Amino acid sequence: MGVTLKDFEDFVRWRDWAPGKIPVFCTLLAYIALANRNLSHFFVFEFILFMLFASVHSALGYIVNDWGDRKIDKLHGKPNAFEKISHKKAMFILGLLIMLSIFTGLPFSSRPLFFPLWMAWAFFAVAYSVKPFRFKERGLCGLGVSAIAQWTLPILIVFAALERFGRYDMIVFAVVSSISGATLEIAHQRYDRKNDLSTKTKTCAVRLEGKKMDLLYSIAVFFDKIAICIVLITVLLGITRLDFSEGWQLVAWKKLLHPLIIGYLILFFIALLETIRLAKKDIVMDPYYSTERTANKLLHETIPNLILPVYLLGILSIFQPVNAILLIVFLYWRLILGKADLLWPLRIIRGLWKK
């Protein structure tokens, strides 16, 4: 059958979900380890095992979505995993992923509430895209189901897997991640609105007028900004009891006047001014689907997907040096393999200074 690495990568749509999902799971796993004082060597193994579980399930979620969108994607002229490779190859990879999903989930299945949450995720992931449910075409209900399947349940599953279920921080993470997830889904539906109109796909974006959808997206993006701030505060509160030596007080300042919070607030006001300036020109700021590099993009993508996971993995490495392996691998994947342009935030600041 000859399944190549490229066949596998294209089918699981690695590039579509990995940059947004993996950093979130890295942040959560590192945070829970610090909050639980789980600083043993065993955590590296647990981290890797859960990342495999999360990655396989993220891939499965996107594959199920492609299966449900086969006909629509063909009409839209969009790439679809099931059109790129043969049916036999697709079934082989799908079978392999299902086996991996079971194998990677079993070590956590005896932990309280993990198994029912796992099964709930499977239902919502399928119901969002596949008939007879296909919540994707049920307006605001579809947005809610998408947020639950892609963000709320995965967050709860992480806390159940690492045995920190039911704490206040779990509730905060689940709520704010659902807000961010709903914002991403609104962004996606808004981006696909023209294609969905042409095929009469009844997404929330199609049901609403263009101006109303723009307003909904602008409101969602604003609340997403607040959600990111709440995550930062929750993380800092969760690690305040860690015993840092004097030399490391800067990375875990035991007050909310923390460099991360101060940096966020400065960036928040810059991003807000940027949004207002564009609104005066009747342009909607889109931090997720625009190709322009802006302060908003720095706030919505760089802080949660790079700065926060690096910060937490760095603290883990201070307490247990073996965790530096996780930090190095993450940085290599994110910066080297991702060919990151490290100077673009400085260009934004220089551009604002000139203005």
Side-chain angles (χ1 to χ4, degrees), residues 215-236:
L215 178 60
L216 177 62
Y217 184 44
S218 296
I219 293 170
V221 167
F222 177 77
F223 280 105
D224 192 27
K225 286 178 171 62
I226 304 301
I228 293 168
C229 184
I230 293 171
V231 166
L232 293 176
I233 292 171
T234 304
V235 164
L236 295 176

Side-chain angles (χ1 to χ4, degrees), residues 6 12 29 102 117 124 130 151 157 159 176 180 195 205 227 229 239 241 245 274 279 288 290 301-302 308 312 349 351:
K6 190 175 187 310
V12 301
L29 290 167
I102 296 170
L117 288 168
F124 278 102
V130 178
W151 299 100
I157 287 170
F159 277 85
V176 298
S180 295
N195 286 331
C229 184
I239 63 174
R241 288 178 293 171
S245 64
E274 187 179 68
Y288 292 112
S290 63
E301 292 195 343
T302 306
L308 188 55
L312 289 172
I349 295 169

Side-chain angles (χ1 to χ4, degrees), residues 120-297:
W121 172 86
F123 169 76
F124 278 102
V126 172
Y128 175 68
S129 301
V130 178
K131 293 180 179 179
F133 300 101
R134 195 160 169 80
F135 287 108
K136 177 183 281 192
E137 297 189 34
R138 300 195 183 187
L140 287 173
C141 179
L143 291 176
V145 170
S146 174
I148 290 170
Q150 293 196 61
W151 299 100
T152 312
L153 283 171
I155 298 300
L156 297 179
I157 287 170
V158 179
F159 277 85
L162 270 68
E163 299 181 290
R164 194 177 172 80
F165 194 89
R167 305 286 185 90
Y168 82 93
D169 46 8
M170 181 201 78
I171 297 169
V172 172
F173 273 109
V175 171
V176 298
S177 295
S178 299
I179 291 170
S180 295
T183 303
L184 283 166
E185 184 60 24
I186 292 168
H188 177 68
Q189 289 193 13
R190 179 177 175 271
Y191 181 77
D192 273 351
R193 188 171 186 273
K194 287 184 179 178
N195 286 331
D196 289 333
L197 276 168
S198 67
T199 54
K200 298 180 180 179
T201 306
K202 297 178 181 179
T203 62
C204 182
V206 169
R207 292 169 184 263
L208 291 175
E209 296 175 2
K211 289 289 184 182
K212 288 183 179 179
M213 191 62 189
D214 288 346
L215 178 60
L216 177 62
Y217 184 44
S218 296
I219 293 170
V221 167
F222 177 77
F223 280 105
D224 192 27
K225 286 178 171 62
I226 304 301
I228 293 168
C229 184
I230 293 171
V231 166
L232 293 176
I233 292 171
T234 304
V235 164
L236 295 176
L237 290 175
I239 63 174
T240 51
R241 288 178 293 171
L242 289 169
D243 184 21
F244 284 89
S245 64
E246 287 297 320
W248 292 105
Q249 285 300 323
L250 181 63
V251 297
W253 209 342
K254 297 183 180 182
K255 297 180 183 294
L256 289 182
L257 291 175
H258 188 283
L260 275 178
I261 300 296
I262 294 169
Y264 167 85
L265 290 174
I266 293 169
L267 189 57
F268 175 85
F269 286 110
I270 293 172
L272 204 59
L273 290 172
E274 187 179 68
T275 301
I276 292 169
R277 188 170 63 248
L278 287 176
K280 289 178 179 178
K281 299 177 183 178
D282 203 26
I283 300 172
V284 176
M285 169 53 67
D286 185 353
Y288 292 112
Y289 279 86
S290 63
T291 55
E292 185 181 357
R293 287 174 169 176
T294 61
N296 274 275
K297 214 166 187 64

Side-chain angles (χ1 to χ4, degrees), residues 91-102:
M91 291 303 103
F92 174 79
I93 296 173
L94 185 59
L96 178 64
L97 285 172
I98 291 171
M99 286 191 292
L100 280 172
S101 71
I102 296 170

